Amino acid sequence: LVEHDDGLQADGSVVSQLQALRELAPRLQFARQLFNEAATAYNQAVHEFPTRWLAALFRFDSAGTL
């Protein structure tokens, strides 16, 4: 909505904030990818043989992904 409002497009602070949001999107995608890979590695480790017993003892559950 902000991008379609001409009055806000003239405001320099709004334009700079929109630019910051556009630059942030790829960084967030990369962070999500790293988190999901770490969660997958954790979930695999929790289900392996020796870790499975410790996971049950300490009530470690599977991690979710984003």
Side-chain angles (χ1 to χ4, degrees):
L1 293 173
V2 173
E3 292 174 341
H4 298 293
D5 189 354
D6 293 333
L8 290 174
Q9 286 292 332
D11 189 4
S13 63
V14 172
V15 171
S16 65
Q17 294 296 323
L18 286 174
Q19 184 62 27
L21 284 174
R22 286 186 196 107
E23 292 172 359
L24 185 63
R27 294 176 62 196
L28 286 175
Q29 183 180 6
F30 180 70
R32 281 189 195 102
Q33 179 184 358
L34 286 178
F35 178 83
N36 288 338
E37 289 172 2
T40 301
Y42 169 81
N43 289 338
Q44 289 174 351
V46 166
H47 289 61
E48 289 179 357
F49 167 66
T51 314
R52 192 177 334 160
W53 289 346
L54 291 174
L57 179 67
F58 291 109
R59 296 184 182 156
F60 292 156
D61 290 329
S62 295
T65 57
L66 298 176

